Amino acid sequence: MAEAIELIFYYLVFPGLAFCTILGLVLSFIDRKVSAMVQWRVGPGPGQPFFDVVKLLGKETVVPEESWARGFLAAPYVAFGAAGLAATIVWLAVLRIGGSPPGDLIVVLYLLSIPAIAVIVGGAASGNPLGAVGASREMKLVMAYELPFVAALLAVVFQTEDGATLSLSGLVALQDQAGSAMGRVSGVLGFIAALLCCQAKLGLVPFDIAEAECEIGEGALIEYSGPALGFFKLTQAVQLATLPALLVVVFWGGMGPGPAGVAVFALKMLLIVTIFVLVKNTNPRARIDQALRFFWGPVTALAFAALALAVLGV
Amino acid sequence: MNAELVLLPILIPGVLGLVALFLPGRLRAVLGFLGSLATLAAGLALVSTRESFHHAWLVLGPLNLDFSFRVDGFTGWLSALVGLCAFFTALYAADFFRGRGGAPGRLYAWLLIAAAGAEGVVLAGNLLLLVLCWEIVTLMLFVLVITGSPEGAPAAAKAFTILGFGDVALILGTVLLGSRGFDHPMDFATLAANPLATGDLFGVLTFLLLFAGAAAKAGAVPLHTWIPTMAGPASPPVMAFLPASLDKVLGIYLLARVSVSWVTLTPGLQFAVMAVGAITILAGVLMAMVQHDVKRLLSFHAVSQVGYMVLGIGTGTLVGVLGGVFHMVNNAIYKACLFFGAGAVEREAGTRDLGKLGGLHRAMPVTFLCMFVAALSISGVPPLNGFVSKWLVYQACVVARQPLFLVAALFGSVLTLASFVKVLHSMFWGARPPALDGVNEAGIGMRLPMVGLAILCVLLGVFGGAPLDQAIGPVKDVPAASVALAGGLDAAGTFRPGVVTILLVIGVLAGILAAHLGGARARRVRSVFIGGEPLDRAQNRFPGTEFYRTVHEMPLLGRTLDAGEKGVFDVYAIFGKLGGGVIRGLRSLHTGVITDYLFWCLLGLGAVLAVFFWC
């Protein structure tokens, strides 16, 4: 019983849903501030992401006539719950909290894909043709980045001679012994490939193809409003707090002891988020076929090179 | 318990099926329904028992064959699964053919006999008996496809040819396996006690022959092409019953028996089996992506899923074998559900062209929800059953250190999801074409099997540890307690499906609660927004057939898929052409000129004489 309560606390409060939501909103403030700096603007105050969400939660919900209303309305909450569970598993590994988290790297990968599935289901279920176009693009984007993303992550899993493990805490322990994956060529290549994939996973420019405001009006999210839209925004925040942490924990080792360890980890995360933001602000949106070509071409080649080098022990 | 009980699941459908052959239509349907129900009950009675029926039967010189059937912890469950498939198919077929003059021909009789054959394969304790029952199932597939659809004859012939090839290979492999000079050479006990080493040519050849037999039945690349071909003419109940579920169960069951206990695989052979699995996964799902006919699309997924089972078993690890076999069970469940759903939509909407369907979620809510669950399950979305078994296969790839195959399996799963997003969108979401305005929900007899299977998808996922321990653990003859999977599935990584499910539910509820606390309860229903224009349902559609045009336009990939669609990689077509060439060559010899024939005779005589003098 105590274990169950502990697990629920991990999931709902720390380091799961509540913590990652707040952290993600703070990171999205950093995103907006840095973007503003790049564009020579002042940018919003630190409270703005919170105000946005609070405002959405108070608005009325508009449900399209043609839609599968239940699925349409449930999608954002399922996305939020799944992203939060992935966040919990990743952050438990980051914080080296023992016990037994209910999943490993594969489970995290699948849980992280549920928000994308929810967006697709929501967009398609809305009955809006533009939503369907957005859903189709989102699905193609998932197909595009999932291949190199998986290969890049496996470059770390198969790095060790014996005892390849998919358990996140196992990967952390291995890196404690043998040094972080970033110390090897394969790790660096894999990290770069995974970073590019995360840009697309977060739906950031140049891979915001599925939302493309000025073409298809937010695409899959076009019919969403009020709390449902708010929870999709919260899901994005949770993902923004999870994906950089996942990259760090897989490629760059877990959190070190004491305040210094926390600071180092925070710096690593900030660096990754800053890269996301800079790429986002200096590139135009790609077309979906360009994105497919990009991910199945150079990025996949990079990821497979990393995997091959890892198996060879470089 | 009486040992004779083991025979019941075979005898009940077998005898009733033979009786049904000679009954009038209405009675045949009743007998089909009751017979399959009784089969299910007899199968369930065998669950978690260990019993064997033995009867000395035939002594042919050194070869003594025994009429032996047996049930161990695993095959009892399989027997129940076969019964379940038969029962649901009979139930579904009764409603499917209602208003069309009942089931065509002797469908129910053939169905029962096929079920008897499948039960025989599962319960046989002797390889020769297994092969015998195996042939019954092959024959029944042929008969079932041509029953009621004369246009199905070419597809049935193709299936019979490819399966016939596989069966010949299996028989040859059986003969080789049994020719090693043991007493009772065909008994499972003998085979398991003396596993065949595959270090030499004899071992490799024997295994490859057995593997070809299992792969053709299950539909692994390159012996898979009969499944998509028969998807068009075969009726949905037949597709759901044999190619989608039972043929997989039989093929993979045999493969598991062969590669786990009868043959010791060398690493090279293991690699070959895994490669077949990985290629099957990707080839099947890529071909499915470009299909516009929902039944044909599903049949390519039926191929693709076999890849996971073959891959898992090929790793040779405990976790892989468990995963592969569990996936076989799961596949039977969700694939039958998908075929049932597609059949229901085809029956009610009058088309199975994805470009012409759409927006049916309101007209057919139950069919939609069941197909939705099954689609998520086949795509391996946690916490459904497809995820649990795929997860085991992934772990096995890690244990066996096969990163490439792992990438193939994971990527195949994403493509499967993509394919089913297209299916769901183009059948149930989006705008409903005006032509489909009068469509109604399928009848209760069609809905019940779908609902039952969808519920099983959820249960086997959420409580994924239990079936592994109870039912599938014994396949490797490991005592359930020592399977390190109890509840935790902690073989190589960690996954606790029950915990994940409970947490997900809590998280979703917490989100909904938070939204309610936000104070927003107002809800409005409005027409969709497409830039201020009114929605024209006939015009403003985004049919699923357009979903993956971009993928199809990728260089190389699109052209390869088009070539696949034209049958360039179809062994049946390739060998058909080769055979045609040989026949043409032989035919050109028949000139009708007597001097030509005399010349050939002399040439032959010369050859015979030459052989005589040389030797």
Side-chain angles (χ1 to χ4, degrees):
Chain A
M1 195 61 207
E3 196 206 3
I5 290 170
E6 199 176 72
L7 208 53
I8 291 173
F9 175 79
Y10 286 154
Y11 177 42
L12 289 184
V13 186
F14 182 85
L17 281 170
F19 169 72
C20 279
T21 307
I22 293 168
L23 178 65
L25 289 175
V26 170
L27 288 174
S28 79
F29 160 71
I30 293 173
D31 167 10
R32 289 164 89 158
K33 197 72 184 174
V34 174
S35 297
M37 282 157 70
V38 174
Q39 296 164 356
W40 294 98
R41 292 187 284 114
V42 179
Q48 195 58 47
F50 296 91
F51 300 149
D52 286 354
V53 170
V54 169
K55 187 186 75 176
L56 278 176
L57 292 185
K59 295 264 180 187
E60 78 171 344
T61 306
V62 180
V63 181
E65 225 166 24
E66 287 279 317
S67 72
W68 172 41
R70 279 192 203 116
F72 177 79
L73 291 175
Y77 300 103
V78 174
F80 182 65
L85 190 52
T88 313
I89 298 171
V90 169
W91 276 93
L92 282 178
V94 168
L95 300 169
R96 298 163 187 277
I97 298 177
S100 46
D104 58 10
L105 186 58
I106 302 269
V107 179
V108 168
L109 270 179
Y110 269 84
L111 286 175
L112 280 175
S113 70
I114 289 186
I117 300 173
V119 167
I120 292 162
V121 170
S126 70
N128 188 319
L130 293 176
V133 174
S136 139
R137 290 186 182 185
E138 177 80 32
M139 193 62 241
K140 283 182 274 201
L141 203 57
V142 172
M143 277 192 259
Y145 63 65
E146 209 68 23
L147 175 64
F149 192 55
V150 165
L153 291 179
L154 291 186
V156 179
V157 172
F158 284 94
Q159 199 174 56
T160 46
E161 277 299 308
D162 47 281
T165 175
L166 285 169
S167 132
L168 280 172
S169 47
L171 285 175
V172 172
L174 278 176
Q175 298 192 56
D176 285 345
Q177 282 173 11
S180 80
M182 287 287 265
R184 297 158 180 246
V185 183
S186 61
V188 176
L189 294 184
F191 178 73
I192 296 171
L195 198 66
L196 288 166
C197 297
C198 284
Q199 187 93 18
K201 257 180 160 348
L202 289 167
L204 298 174
V205 187
F207 306 116
D208 63 334
I209 310 161
E211 290 168 22
E213 290 86 350
C214 42
E215 275 176 62
I216 50 173
E218 290 273 358
L221 301 183
I222 186 168
E223 291 296 338
Y224 275 102
S225 56
L229 182 60
F231 268 85
F232 267 133
K233 298 284 175 205
L234 287 178
T235 308
Q236 279 170 352
V238 173
Q239 283 177 298
L240 189 60
T242 311
L243 285 172
L246 177 69
L247 289 181
V248 175
V249 94
V250 171
F251 290 97
W252 221 341
M255 191 183 276
V262 176
V264 169
F265 190 84
L267 277 179
K268 287 175 182 170
M269 274 200 59
L270 269 183
L271 178 68
I272 292 175
V273 172
T274 312
I275 294 176
F276 286 153
V277 176
L278 290 181
V279 171
K280 164 184 157 180
N281 278 293
T282 47
N283 284 281
R285 179 188 312 128
R287 287 197 317 266
I288 185 67
D289 60 317
Q290 290 170 327
L292 265 176
R293 261 170 238 249
F294 177 66
F295 279 110
W296 282 357
V299 183
T300 299
L302 192 67
F304 273 92
L307 187 53
L309 288 176
V311 173
L312 294 174
V314 182
Chain B
M1 196 183 108
N2 290 326
E4 281 74 19
L5 272 182
V6 179
L7 297 179
L8 278 185
I10 308 164
L11 286 181
I12 292 174
V15 171
L16 291 183
L18 288 175
V19 171
L21 278 178
F22 306 102
L23 287 180
R26 181 75 47 91
L27 274 177
R28 199 184 293 136
V30 174
L31 204 62
F33 178 78
L34 293 178
S36 55
L37 185 61
T39 313
L40 173 62
L44 282 174
L46 292 183
V47 157
S48 46
T49 55
R50 285 167 185 273
E51 198 70 54
S52 58
F53 174 83
H54 205 82
H55 183 70
W57 180 36
L58 198 61
V59 181
L60 290 171
L63 195 68
N64 39 9
L65 296 170
D66 296 320
F67 191 74
S68 73
F69 289 94
R70 63 163 208 176
V71 52
D72 57 27
F74 171 57
T75 52
W77 288 95
L78 269 193
S79 163
L81 180 69
V82 172
L84 187 74
C85 286
F87 173 60
F88 277 167
T89 307
L91 189 60
Y92 181 89
D95 215 357
F96 185 84
F97 293 110
R98 178 167 300 170
R100 302 169 161 192
R106 299 188 157 80
L107 188 104
Y108 287 108
W110 305 130
L111 201 80
L112 284 177
I113 298 175
E119 293 278 11
V121 172
V122 168
L123 295 174
N126 177 309
L127 189 51
L128 208 67
L129 279 178
L130 187 149
V131 172
L132 204 70
C133 298
W134 182 277
E135 295 303 321
I136 294 175
V137 180
T138 305
L139 186 65
M140 284 307 116
L141 177 70
F142 177 80
V143 179
L144 276 169
V145 172
I146 53 172
T147 299
S149 65
E151 72 275 23
K158 179 174 179 177
F160 202 60
T161 311
I162 295 179
L163 288 176
F165 167 78
D167 291 358
V168 169
L170 174 63
I171 291 170
L172 286 178
T174 305
V175 170
L176 289 183
L177 198 61
S179 69
R180 291 174 297 157
F182 297 111
D183 271 354
H184 300 271
M186 297 292 186
D187 271 7
F188 283 10
T190 319
L191 293 170
N194 307 287
L196 173 74
T198 47
D200 53 356
L201 185 65
F202 176 82
V204 172
L205 191 66
T206 309
F207 172 72
L208 286 183
L209 287 169
L210 293 170
F211 181 55
K217 188 67 119 189
V221 170
L223 299 173
H224 65 287
T225 52
W226 57 277
I227 304 178
T229 307
M230 77 164 43
S235 63
V238 172
M239 276 311 280
F241 183 55
L242 278 176
S245 41
L246 279 198
D247 278 342
K248 256 107 213 123
V249 170
L250 303 188
I252 297 302
Y253 168 72
L254 179 72
L255 181 64
R257 275 261 180 263
V258 167
S259 51
V260 170
S261 47
W262 299 344
V263 176
T264 323
L265 293 184
T266 57
L269 278 179
Q270 280 185 347
F271 187 85
V273 174
M274 283 189 277
V276 167
I279 293 170
T280 303
I281 293 175
L282 287 181
V285 72
L286 280 172
M287 287 300 294
M289 301 272 302
V290 293
Q291 301 303 324
H292 294 172
D293 173 333
V294 60
K295 263 164 78 189
R296 202 170 147 78
L297 184 148
L298 288 178
S299 70
F300 274 109
H301 282 293
V303 173
S304 175
Q305 294 302 306
V306 176
Y308 287 96
M309 311 168 204
V310 174
L311 177 59
I313 293 174
T315 60
T317 58
L318 170 64
V319 63
V321 173
L322 291 178
V325 173
F326 193 30
H327 203 66
M328 161 196 104
V329 174
N330 291 336
N331 174 75
I333 291 166
Y334 54 64
K335 192 55 61 59
C337 183
L338 287 168
F339 269 109
F340 284 160
V345 169
E346 182 194 354
R347 184 184 193 272
E348 304 302 327
T351 176
R352 52 173 199 265
D353 182 344
L354 289 176
K356 292 181 185 154
L357 291 164
L360 289 176
H361 69 85
R362 204 162 285 171
M364 308 181 75
V366 178
T367 310
F368 161 57
L369 273 181
C370 294
M371 276 192 87
F372 186 57
V373 170
L376 290 182
S377 181
I378 191 177
S379 315
V381 174
L384 296 169
N385 62 351
F387 179 73
V388 180
S389 48
K390 276 186 188 174
W391 182 86
L392 290 168
V393 174
Y394 301 148
Q395 302 294 337
C397 288
V398 172
V399 176
R401 290 194 67 81
Q402 294 296 346
L404 271 188
F405 296 149
L406 179 51
V407 172
L410 280 165
F411 187 51
S413 193
V414 173
L415 295 179
T416 308
L417 171 70
S419 176
F420 277 98
V421 163
K422 172 176 121 176
V423 170
L424 291 172
H425 172 75
S426 38
M427 289 170 78
F428 297 108
W429 296 328
R432 178 157 59 161
L436 299 184
D437 274 346
V439 172
N440 290 320
E441 177 62 280
I444 184 84
M446 292 161 81
R447 271 178 285 157
L448 271 182
M450 286 191 270
V451 172
L453 292 168
I455 290 175
L456 273 179
C457 280
V458 177
L459 291 183
L460 286 182
V462 176
F463 304 104
L468 279 169
D469 266 358
Q470 298 297 319
I472 298 169
V475 75
K476 254 205 109 160
D477 290 326
V478 275
S482 79
V483 183
L485 301 164
L489 298 181
D490 285 315
T494 11
F495 177 51
R496 290 187 284 162
V499 177
V500 165
T501 316
I502 293 167
L503 286 180
L504 268 180
V505 169
I506 291 176
V508 172
L509 290 180
I512 292 173
L513 184 71
H516 262 267
L517 293 179
R521 282 182 195 82
R523 193 193 280 191
R524 208 149 43 103
V525 176
R526 279 278 176 278
S527 175
V528 296
F529 177 77
I530 49 166
E533 298 286 320
L535 180 77
D536 177 355
R537 280 200 285 146
Q539 287 291 319
N540 300 343
R541 296 182 62 222
F542 184 66
T545 45
E546 298 293 309
F547 239 63
Y548 298 125
R549 177 155 288 190
T550 329
V551 178
H552 197 248
E553 282 164 1
M554 284 291 108
L556 207 66
L557 185 62
R559 233 176 297 161
T560 316
L561 292 178
D562 285 342
E565 195 58 17
K566 285 198 199 99
V568 175
F569 308 117
D570 185 345
V571 281
Y572 183 69
I574 294 169
F575 279 96
K577 271 190 198 126
L578 279 179
V582 171
I583 299 284
R584 257 194 305 281
L586 287 176
R587 198 179 282 164
S588 68
L589 298 181
H590 284 269
T591 52
V593 181
I594 191 126
T595 45
D596 285 2
Y597 292 133
L598 271 177
F599 169 72
W600 287 114
C601 288
L602 280 176
L603 206 67
L605 198 62
V608 171
L609 286 175
V611 169
F612 259 108
F613 282 115
W614 246 288
C615 303

